[in-house]
Amino acid sequence: EADGSLRQLPQHHVDTGMGLERLLTVLQSKRSNYDTDLFTPLLDAIHKGCGKPRYQGLVGKADTGGVDMAYRVVADHVRALSVCIADGVYPGMSGAELVLRQILRRAVRFCSEVLQAPPGFLASLVPVVVEILGDAYPDLKREMDRVMNVINENENAFLSCLLRGRRIITRTLQQMDQSKVFPVEVAWGLYRNLGFPLDLIGLMLEEKGVQLDTAALDQLAQEDTERKASKRQVASSGVQLDVHSLAKLQQDGIPVTDDSPMYAYELGPDGKYVFNPCQATVLALYKDGSLQKEVGGGQRCGVLLDRTCFYAERGGQASDQGYMVHLEQQDILFPVASIQVSGGYVIHEVIVSETVKAGDQVQLFVDEAQRLACMVNHTATHLLNFALRQVLGDGVEQRGSQVTAEQLRFDVSTKAPVKTEQLQEIEDVIQEIIKRNELVYTAEVPSQLTNGVQGLRKLDEVYPDLARVVSVGVPMERVLVPESQAAMCASVELCCGTHLQRTGAIEDLTIISERQLVKGISHIIAVTGEQARQTREAGQSLAKEVDTLSVRVKQGGASLVGAQRLSREVGLLTDTVENTAMPQGLKRELHATLRALQRVANSAIRKRETKLAAEKVPDLLAKHSNQPVIIDTIPVESPSVLMKVVNQLCDKVPGTSVMLLSPQASGQVFCACQVPKSSLPVFSAADWALAVCTIMGGKAGGSEVVARGSGSTNDLQLVLTAALEYAKNKL
């Protein structure tokens, strides 16, 4: 409880922790889970694949080199990865996906660092997992290739991240000057964004004699945790009955809420939907974690009714909005903020303007516009599910959905990214069903009757004894006939949501986003009706802008400034296209065009910069002929032009070290340098540029051969002298 005291739970159970593995350990008289036949085939496969000594079950100091621990980690983790990925959970950046990502990366590290196995070894163990668990988990057999692909791709990405992370650490160490404390924000960025292990960062820094501020790192981790918790709290708004209140309702014999009135709407002769208000009785009030008989005015509470016409948030569909009025006082209105369902009891979250008591009679009114928009988008979601199967094949499986009044989101497993032409085919299938204005049939039927319906779409979850079937265009009696094929060529799903009665009300649908959040899962967002029309118009308007800019880019800018302006315009229009809702197929086409235009614009800039640089070289050669080190100042418009002058000078006089500075009207000074490879490792361009730019209070970076930076100074001659002295000392 809030005061730290303990309160008895309504039901008393004992958690023994006796899972399948531990139970099998007892039955097979083994000392460890890893000695049972759930693990021994995996451990044998690891031994054969990596060539290390056989698994002996050693722990602690007896496990020299941690080899047996690596066996256990890899065996355990590849099982978890296989089952989760087959079940549709993929390595990602938050929640369960983040945990799976960490499991995979830990397994990869043990494979490569301890077992010294080649890349791809972890995925090669998946068939062994399938052999052990495949009969109990049929999805493993069906999804084996996908599981292996996901593991391999994530392993490759992690190994690439390790390489990139090591480069970032090396570059940061080079730029730290005399400091012995590694920048904590760099370490946190490596961990949070690249998934670079913190312990590996610590080991690399220890080798270099550099420390990591672990206290500051812990503080960043704490702040990140608090941010996530805050987001979760906002996302999970709404009154939820606690376990004690649920038990009290059941003990008192209060029946669960009758929510059948939420389906009591009809399509009128004029083509408009009629939503009838619902009269109900207040059974209880819920406030501050307890059930109450009365709540005073001005307070927020949950209202439990005997019946409701409000749809509570579930099944991916957002809850209804609306209000309730007191029957005896019609001028008292209670806006409904949210609707949640717990154990069959529907809780309406309201702020009561006057006292409300158990036994009061109220009348409920849903927000008809919001409900109708959700109905449109939910029926459209079913059509999208059907169209995806028609275009991409039977292998696609729903992995999640969300329906709101504004849009619909649908997550689906796919064998490959959805192509642009496939997106158009999917929309065409849906448009045809909308145009036919098909009837939408619904019925509640015993769940066992739905098991034999071929083509029925349902999620992998437990459904109630009476399940609601939604069929588009096919009468229910045809769907439920034994051995019927009707559901194979129509949208037929188990669904508790609210739907249209005819598809024509959808009017239009367009997919405005399709991307793979993780490998094998397409995240699709679509809009309907007037929103769909507006997105098409926005896309066509931007297409005209792209065409106009294309002509100007191909004509080219009259100067370097003009070419740079065109390049910026391409970048700005690219951002506008990215941030504007429009048909996804058109967005992809415009992005492809803009990428090509950006290449043309950048090429034009490089040519003009090369030409400008070439004009500077002859005077510098004449001024510094036969000198091993060239240090000077020249006027240029950009750091890239300055770098090109340096490059061209070095090409003309091989073996010469060159540093050029360019003071700008803003007070900034550009710096660029290049040294011959024969000077390495004694004389490094990166060190030279850093030393000079540090004098100017600036920064620099680059490689051992070429580098550039910037700073500001009131004494340019002092900087030139320092640059020459540095070069002389090194050479």
Side-chain angles (χ1 to χ4, degrees):
E1 299 300 306
D3 61 1
S5 62
L6 297 176
R7 184 179 175 188
Q8 290 280 349
L9 290 170
Q11 301 292 329
H12 298 170
H13 305 284
V14 176
D15 180 2
T16 65
M18 185 64 73
L20 172 64
E21 290 81 2
R22 289 176 177 172
L23 186 61
L24 194 61
T25 301
V26 174
L27 292 174
Q28 294 185 351
S29 301
K30 303 295 184 181
R31 291 175 58 88
S32 163
N33 295 352
Y34 297 96
D35 297 329
T36 68
D37 55 18
L38 279 176
F39 281 96
T40 49
L42 264 174
L43 298 172
D44 290 342
I46 294 170
H47 163 68
K48 293 174 184 175
C50 71
K52 290 288 182 181
R54 284 189 175 278
Y55 177 72
Q56 302 176 62
L58 301 176
V59 297
K61 293 180 180 179
D63 183 16
T64 307
V67 173
D68 277 12
M69 179 181 177
Y71 268 95
R72 291 189 290 270
V73 167
V74 173
D76 174 84
H77 287 11
V78 75
R79 287 191 349 141
L81 289 164
S82 298
V83 173
C84 288
I85 295 170
D87 202 36
V89 182
Y90 290 73
M93 293 300 291
S94 63
E97 290 82 4
L98 177 58
V99 174
L100 201 64
R101 178 176 182 249
Q102 293 168 337
I103 288 173
L104 188 146
R105 294 188 165 197
R106 185 167 186 254
V108 169
R109 285 190 63 200
F110 273 93
C111 281
S112 60
E113 295 174 12
V114 182
L115 299 178
Q116 297 175 334
F121 174 68
L122 187 63
S124 73
L125 299 173
V126 173
V128 184
V129 177
V130 174
E131 183 66 28
I132 299 169
L133 301 176
D135 290 340
Y137 299 97
D139 283 354
L140 275 174
K141 292 182 177 179
R142 186 168 58 251
E143 301 287 344
M144 185 176 76
D145 290 342
R146 188 197 299 275
V147 172
M148 294 178 69
N149 288 338
V150 170
I151 291 176
N152 275 329
E153 286 164 4
N154 278 271
E155 177 180 353
N156 292 336
F158 179 46
L159 295 176
S160 175
C161 285
L162 287 179
L163 184 61
R164 195 183 324 157
R166 287 189 172 99
R167 288 173 180 164
I168 292 172
I169 291 172
T170 301
R171 186 169 67 248
T172 305
L173 290 170
Q174 290 173 347
Q175 296 174 349
M176 281 172 52
D177 200 13
Q178 301 301 316
S179 175
K180 290 297 182 182
V181 179
F182 193 78
V184 69
E185 64 275 5
V186 175
W188 177 251
L190 287 169
Y191 169 71
R192 186 67 187 88
N193 301 321
L194 290 184
F196 201 96
L198 288 174
D199 60 338
L200 191 55
I201 295 175
L203 287 173
M204 291 182 65
L205 297 181
E206 187 178 336
E207 292 170 1
K208 301 290 185 180
V210 176
Q211 296 178 338
L212 182 61
D213 189 342
T214 54
L217 196 63
D218 290 342
Q219 179 63 31
L220 287 174
Q222 179 65 28
E223 291 172 1
D224 185 63
T225 301
E226 289 173 358
R227 275 195 301 272
K228 289 177 181 174
S230 176
K231 288 180 181 177
R232 283 195 297 270
Q233 191 171 2
V234 171
S236 62
S237 61
V239 175
Q240 291 277 2
L241 286 174
D242 67 285
V243 64
H244 301 289
S245 299
L246 267 175
K248 183 73 167 60
L249 289 170
Q250 292 163 352
Q251 288 168 7
D252 292 348
I254 295 179
V256 297
T257 310
D258 173 15
D259 61 0
S260 60
M262 68 183 175
Y263 300 122
Y265 55 88
E266 55 192 23
L267 184 60
D270 57 356
K272 295 183 179 180
Y273 282 85
V274 178
F275 300 92
N276 297 314
C278 169
Q279 186 171 321
T281 301
V282 177
L283 298 182
L285 300 158
Y286 183 70
K287 183 177 179 294
D288 298 332
S290 66
L291 294 168
Q292 302 182 15
K293 293 291 185 182
E294 180 178 321
V295 172
Q299 300 186 69
R300 181 183 292 268
C301 67
V303 179
L304 174 62
L305 306 171
D306 63 335
R307 61 201 304 266
T308 183
C309 59
F310 281 93
Y311 182 85
E313 181 178 350
R314 62 189 185 275
Q317 181 178 328
S319 63
D320 280 336
Q321 297 173 7
Y323 61 92
M324 61 178 70
V325 297
H326 203 293
L327 272 183
E328 296 179 359
Q329 297 171 290
Q330 292 284 321
D331 57 339
I332 298 178
L333 181 147
F334 305 144
V336 178
S338 72
I339 304 100
Q340 304 288 332
V341 61
S342 301
Y345 297 99
V346 178
I347 304 297
H348 307 71
E349 184 182 6
V350 302
I351 298 177
V352 294
S353 51
E354 298 286 343
T355 299
V356 177
K357 303 186 294 292
D360 285 352
Q361 300 289 304
V362 294
Q363 198 164 19
L364 313 179
F365 297 85
V366 299
D367 181 326
E368 297 182 4
Q370 191 261 355
R371 161 68 81 86
L372 181 57
C374 284
M375 289 163 54
V376 166
N377 286 341
H378 205 152
T379 302
T381 302
H382 283 215
L383 299 188
L384 175 60
N385 193 2
F386 170 71
L388 284 163
R389 180 177 51 170
Q390 291 294 102
V391 175
L392 303 181
D394 291 335
V396 299
E397 293 289 342
Q398 179 180 346
R399 295 300 186 185
S401 67
Q402 183 182 47
V403 175
T404 66
E406 294 74 32
Q407 64 181 33
L408 61 97
R409 190 209 78 213
F410 195 77
D411 299 335
V412 60
S413 63
T414 57
K415 294 180 179 177
V418 184
K419 299 175 182 176
T420 301
E421 56 269 24
Q422 290 175 323
L423 288 176
Q424 187 57 57
E425 289 179 49
I426 291 164
E427 286 191 14
D428 289 344
V429 171
I430 296 170
Q431 296 291 358
E432 180 59 31
I433 300 173
I434 294 172
K435 189 164 55 176
R436 293 201 302 263
N437 196 23
E438 297 277 18
L439 277 167
V440 179
Y441 301 90
T442 60
E444 287 192 348
V445 300
S447 291
Q448 64 266 26
L449 288 183
T450 68
N451 294 333
V453 178
Q454 298 183 48
L456 177 73
R457 309 298 275 181
K458 59 181 178 180
L459 297 175
D460 186 16
E461 59 184 48
V462 178
Y463 286 89
D465 293 337
L466 278 179
R468 188 173 178 83
V469 181
V470 179
S471 172
V472 178
V474 181
M476 206 59 64
E477 54 269 21
R478 284 183 53 201
V479 169
L480 298 176
V481 171
E483 308 301 325
S484 171
Q485 299 284 314
M488 297 294 291
C489 55
S491 168
V492 183
E493 299 191 28
L494 293 186
C495 178
C496 64
T498 57
H499 286 271
L500 297 171
Q501 294 181 359
R502 279 192 175 272
T503 60
I506 298 172
E507 296 181 358
D508 191 8
L509 178 143
T510 185
I511 295 170
I512 60 172
S513 176
E514 185 283 324
R515 59 196 178 98
Q516 294 221 329
L517 295 180
V518 293
K519 182 68 177 179
I521 300 289
S522 279
H523 180 81
I524 298 172
I525 297 175
V527 292
T528 57
E530 177 64 17
Q531 272 187 284
R533 185 189 65 79
Q534 291 174 358
T535 59
R536 293 185 195 279
E537 290 179 354
Q540 292 304 321
S541 177
L542 282 173
K544 291 178 182 177
E545 289 189 43
V546 171
D547 289 341
T548 301
L549 184 58
S550 179
V551 173
R552 292 173 54 215
V553 169
K554 289 173 182 176
Q555 290 173 345
S559 63
L560 176 59
V561 173
Q564 290 171 333
R565 187 183 301 115
L566 281 173
S567 178
R568 285 194 295 272
E569 285 187 46
V570 174
L572 289 172
L573 190 52
T574 299
D575 290 342
T576 302
V577 168
E578 177 61 30
N579 296 320
T580 300
M582 69 176 74
Q584 180 68 5
L586 177 59
K587 178 175 284 191
R588 288 179 179 177
E589 292 173 7
L590 295 183
H591 271 312
T593 301
L594 287 165
R595 282 194 297 269
L597 290 179
Q598 193 71 71
R599 288 193 293 269
V600 172
N602 291 345
S603 177
I605 291 172
R606 285 193 297 272
K607 287 178 181 178
R608 291 191 178 279
E609 288 180 341
T610 301
K611 183 180 178 183
L612 286 173
E615 294 171 357
K616 305 283 185 182
V617 171
D619 290 343
L620 288 167
L621 285 174
K623 183 178 178 181
H624 301 280
S625 60
N626 301 320
Q627 293 185 19
V629 179
I630 298 175
I631 300 175
D632 210 335
T633 63
I634 59 171
V636 294
E637 299 176 0
S638 68
S640 56
V641 173
L642 187 65
M643 193 76 252
K644 285 182 171 61
V645 177
V646 170
N647 297 151
Q648 291 185 28
L649 266 176
C650 290
D651 289 342
K652 295 288 185 182
V653 191
T656 301
S657 299
V658 178
M659 174 175 280
L660 296 179
L661 304 178
S662 180
Q664 304 295 301
S666 63
Q668 192 177 26
V669 178
F670 299 149
C671 170
C673 66
Q674 182 172 331
V675 303
K677 291 183 179 180
S678 59
S679 300
L680 303 177
V682 177
F683 191 22
S684 159
D687 293 341
W688 194 15
L690 182 60
V692 171
C693 290
T694 300
I695 295 172
M696 298 190 291
K699 295 182 179 180
S703 68
E704 292 182 322
V705 177
V706 294
R708 65 184 183 182
S710 64
S712 58
T713 181
N714 294 323
D715 192 345
L716 198 57
Q717 188 56 49
L718 174 67
V719 177
L720 292 170
T721 302
L724 182 59
E725 286 299 320
Y726 185 95
K728 285 181 177 179
N729 290 335
K730 294 295 181 180
L731 294 172

